[in-house]
Amino acid sequence: MSIKEDVRRWSREVLEVPNKHLNGLPACPYAKQAWKNNKVLVVETEYVYAEAMMCCASFDELNKDVVVVASYAIPDSESFYSFVEALNQTFSELHCMEFHPDYGAEDAELEFLTDNDWESDFEEPYCMIFIQNLEKVVEASDRLEQLGYYKSFPDDEYQTLVVDRKERLGAKNDPD
C-alpha cells in the first residue's frame, strides 16, 4: 500500500462521512468530490521540502484542487511548521497546511478528527503538506461558516483556519 492509498482511505473513512461534531457535515465537505473529479494529487517523496517548493511553484499547471506532499523522512516539528509558514509567505496565492505526526489533534480539542476508529495501515509515520489555492479555500470556508460548520472549533483553530486565511487573502488583494 502506498501513502496515496492510505490518505485516500483516511479521506473516505474520516473526512468524507457525516460528523456529529460538525452539524452532520463531513470533516472535509469538499474531499469526496475532489477525489471523484481527480482533483487530488498525492506526491510521495524523500525530499518533502524540495517537492513542496516545486509543487507550489507549478501549482496552477498541476490542475488540482489539492496537492498533498507526503514523506516518511520527517523533519523536526518546529522546522516543519516554520517551512510551511514560509511557503505561505512566499506563495501568497496558495494556502499550505501541514500535518506532522507529533501534532496532537486530541490536545487541540479537534474531536471531529479524533472521534473515530480509523488507523493508518502503516506502522511508520509520515508527514504531509497540503497545498491549495488560497482564494478557493477562503470561498469554501465562507460557505461552511454559513452552515455553522466552525461552531465546534476551538477559538485558536478557528482563528488559524478561517480568520488568518481571510486576512492573508485580503492582504494579497490589497494594492497597497
Side-chain angles (χ1 to χ4, degrees):
M1 176 179 275
S2 67
I3 288 178
K4 178 182 180 177
E5 292 166 324
D6 200 50
V7 170
R8 180 65 189 110
R9 194 172 66 78
W10 169 65
S11 180
R12 198 174 22 253
E13 295 176 19
V14 177
L15 299 182
E16 300 172 26
V17 296
N19 190 302
K20 66 182 179 185
H21 300 285
L22 300 169
N23 287 343
L25 293 169
C28 184
Y30 304 105
K32 185 175 187 175
Q33 195 65 35
W35 284 102
K36 181 180 176 185
N37 292 340
N38 194 30
K39 291 293 188 173
V40 179
L41 173 64
V42 179
V43 179
E44 188 172 332
T45 182
E46 290 183 42
Y47 308 101
V48 67
Y49 291 165
E51 193 68 46
M53 288 288 290
M54 287 189 299
C55 288
C56 285
S58 63
F59 185 80
D60 288 339
E61 292 84 47
L62 296 172
N63 195 29
K64 300 295 179 183
D65 289 342
V66 62
V67 175
V68 181
V69 179
S71 182
Y72 293 112
I74 303 170
D76 72 88
S77 61
E78 235 176 87
S79 65
F80 191 60
Y81 298 137
S82 294
F83 174 77
V84 173
E85 187 175 304
L87 285 176
N88 282 321
Q89 291 172 0
T90 303
F91 299 95
S92 62
E93 72 283 3
L94 300 177
H95 175 65
C96 299
M97 189 169 63
E98 71 281 341
F99 168 79
H100 193 281
D102 290 343
Y103 176 74
E106 295 89 1
D107 297 336
E109 300 176 24
L110 299 176
E111 288 87 7
F112 66 91
L113 289 178
T114 59
D115 190 9
N116 60 69
D117 296 328
W118 188 84
E119 288 188 29
S120 173
D121 286 334
F122 294 108
E123 288 186 28
E124 186 177 358
Y126 53 90
C127 64
M128 296 181 283
I129 298 174
F130 298 84
I131 306 166
Q132 297 174 282
N133 175 284
L134 177 61
E135 188 171 350
K136 288 181 181 179
V137 170
V138 169
E139 289 171 2
S141 68
D142 285 348
R143 288 191 299 272
L144 291 175
E145 189 160 26
Q146 294 171 357
L147 300 173
Y149 176 84
Y150 295 105
K151 286 182 180 178
S152 65
F153 276 62
D155 289 342
D156 59 334
E157 289 292 326
Y158 176 81
Q159 179 72 34
T160 300
L161 293 176
V162 179
V163 177
D164 291 353
R165 284 192 307 220
K166 194 175 275 199
E167 287 175 358
R168 276 187 57 227
L169 180 62
K172 175 190 165 297
N173 292 331
D174 189 2
D176 293 332

